[in-house]
Amino acid sequence: MDHSHYMKLALSMAKSTHGQTSPNPMVGAVVVNNGEIVGMGAHLKAGEGHAEVLAIKAAGEKARGSDVYVTLEPCSHHGKTPPCSELLISSDVKTVHVATMDPNPHVSGRGIQQLRDAGIDVVVGELEEEACELNKHFFHYIQNGTPFVTLKTAVTLDGKTASVSGDSKWITSEESRTEVHYDRHRHDAILVGVNTVIQDNPHLTTRLPQGGKNPIRIILDTHLRTPLHSHVVEDSQSATVIFTGNSVNEEQRQPFLEKGCEVVTLSDEEIDIHSVLKELGARHIGSLYVEGGSTIHATFLKEKAFQELIMYMSPKLIGGSSAYTSFGGDGFPTIAEGLEMEILSLERVGKDIKIVAVPTI
């Protein structure tokens, strides 16, 4: 039997739910009996049936003596839904193929052990790398209590994000901009600095032909300079949370609260990125898409507070020593102190080149 074939199918089903299961992971399951696929399922939304439940239900009596392929270790604890491990045991399945173990301390290893204690064969590790990549946001959040941070930037061939006048529309192709909206859909929250709000007045929403999920909008605004007439304040397309320093008083906060925004005043005069990430984690925000300007990106770089960089490089040249770059500030004082990155992929998107890289530490 080609086990990888069925696991690839389960992974494909899980991947199709990207952006809609948080704070839960994406999971797919396939039930096979005598070489015939008799049931399939994918977890669609937090609080709803897990992939194994849907797949076993579809299989019915044919689940007995079957092989089950699931992309993540079946849960063994009572949450919003009953344990999937108990369902697999009561369904009298023969073998369960698990792509990867669950890092959740409430689950890790327990679901597999429960199945084995019941006499069910369990095979772990089929397409594990692909399964881990699929749920990298969830895994990071569960293990660290803070969101997986993706920095996104768009640059010209000479590394500029805007001309000396501040003009940046449009550096990249329509195809690249569409990809960005897919990424917004896949993340729980999107973050920019107050300067981006003042200069560009963005909506920070997901605009795709078939629709999509709007991420929670996070604004870093030390002195609460966000204009009250800005889109992120006035529209109700998504929640807006504004982080400020401790100099902001209740009188300043009140107009924003009346418009439905939330203003989080931190304990220090300046905004600390790590404090922001801890607060977002406490709100069950597992992934954060940072589209800030050079100042915001420089802060994340200095603090080494990100897990992934996505850069779209356009075949344009702007020039100008004062033109904007992706990372502002003073930067690291020496080349040796610079942050080492590993390039994971290079691909063509429209006329642009998309680079995905991760820190090596």
Side-chain angles (χ1 to χ4, degrees):
M1 185 180 293
D2 185 359
H3 300 299
S4 64
H5 169 74
Y6 298 115
M7 191 62 80
K8 284 178 182 177
L9 178 57
L11 284 166
S12 177
M13 294 179 63
K15 189 175 181 180
S16 69
T17 68
H18 210 154
Q20 63 187 57
T21 64
S22 183
N24 289 355
M26 295 169 278
V27 184
V30 174
V31 182
V32 179
N33 198 321
N34 289 323
E36 176 189 3
I37 296 174
V38 294
M40 297 189 298
H43 179 52
L44 301 179
K45 188 178 180 181
E48 296 185 0
H50 288 188
E52 302 95 315
V53 174
L54 299 175
I56 291 293
K57 183 177 180 180
E61 285 299 316
K62 291 184 178 180
R64 187 179 302 275
S66 66
D67 292 284
V68 178
Y69 298 81
V70 60
T71 58
L72 189 66
E73 178 180 0
C75 63
S76 59
H77 64 287
H78 287 268
K80 293 183 179 180
T81 58
C84 292
S85 56
E86 292 183 4
L87 174 64
L88 292 168
I89 292 168
S90 64
S91 299
D92 198 22
V93 304
K94 180 180 67 176
T95 305
V96 177
H97 298 259
V98 178
T100 186
M101 294 175 64
D102 193 327
N104 188 330
H106 294 294
V107 179
S108 188
R110 298 178 187 178
I112 290 172
Q113 191 58 51
Q114 204 171 73
L115 294 172
R116 286 174 173 161
D117 289 346
I120 295 173
D121 290 333
V122 181
V123 181
V124 182
E126 186 73 51
L127 300 184
E128 182 174 15
E129 186 176 341
E130 292 90 333
C132 290
E133 174 65 20
L134 178 67
N135 277 310
K136 62 185 179 183
H137 294 175
F138 172 75
F139 283 14
H140 176 88
Y141 171 68
I142 288 295
Q143 293 168 334
N144 298 277
T146 55
F148 183 104
V149 177
T150 299
L151 301 187
K152 170 262 172 181
T153 186
V155 301
T156 59
L157 281 178
D158 51 345
K160 308 299 183 181
T161 60
S163 68
V164 67
S165 69
D167 179 42
S168 62
K169 293 186 177 179
W170 295 103
I171 286 179
T172 54
S173 64
E174 184 176 347
E175 292 87 346
S176 292
R177 298 198 296 274
T178 297
E179 274 213 0
V180 168
H181 284 282
Y182 275 109
D183 275 336
R184 289 182 179 183
H185 166 77
R186 294 170 183 143
H187 285 75
D188 294 337
I190 182 171
L191 182 148
V192 299
V194 63
N195 289 332
T196 295
V197 177
I198 292 172
Q199 293 169 10
D200 299 339
N201 192 21
H203 287 276
L204 301 180
T205 53
T206 298
R207 296 184 295 280
L208 294 169
Q210 71 275 28
K213 181 197 70 179
N214 289 325
I216 297 170
R217 299 174 292 200
I218 310 298
I219 314 298
L220 302 188
D221 185 0
T222 303
H223 303 293
L224 199 52
R225 296 185 295 122
T226 297
L228 280 169
H229 62 268
S230 59
H231 294 310
V232 294
V233 173
E234 291 204 316
D235 73 39
S236 58
Q237 296 186 67
S238 184
T240 296
V241 182
I242 304 174
F243 283 85
T244 76
N246 63 13
S247 65
V248 172
N249 58 43
E250 189 60 32
E251 184 179 352
Q252 292 173 281
R253 289 159 44 97
Q254 195 57 39
F256 293 91
L257 302 180
E258 291 173 0
K259 286 181 175 288
C261 297
E262 185 174 358
V263 180
V264 178
T265 301
L266 299 174
S267 59
D268 297 324
E269 184 176 349
E270 299 295 327
I271 293 175
D272 175 67
I273 288 297
H274 296 290
S275 297
V276 172
L277 294 178
K278 287 179 182 178
E279 176 63 25
L280 296 180
R283 294 165 180 254
H284 305 292
I285 291 174
S287 57
L288 180 65
Y289 196 60
V290 179
E291 284 197 62
S294 62
T295 301
I296 293 294
H297 279 161
T299 302
F300 277 89
L301 174 61
K302 179 183 177 182
E303 296 299 323
K304 300 178 181 178
F306 68 100
Q307 283 67 55
E308 182 178 69
L309 170 70
I310 298 178
M311 176 179 287
Y312 293 92
M313 182 171 285
S314 164
K316 290 188 176 84
L317 293 171
I318 294 178
S321 59
S322 299
Y324 294 85
T325 59
S326 295
F327 297 91
D330 294 328
F332 296 110
T334 65
I335 297 296
E337 293 174 83
L339 183 61
E340 290 285 346
M341 301 287 289
E342 177 187 357
I343 295 176
L344 298 184
S345 64
L346 287 166
E347 64 176 295
R348 188 80 173 261
V349 180
K351 295 181 179 179
D352 309 321
I353 297 295
K354 177 184 178 183
I355 303 170
V356 179
V358 296
T360 57
I361 58 171

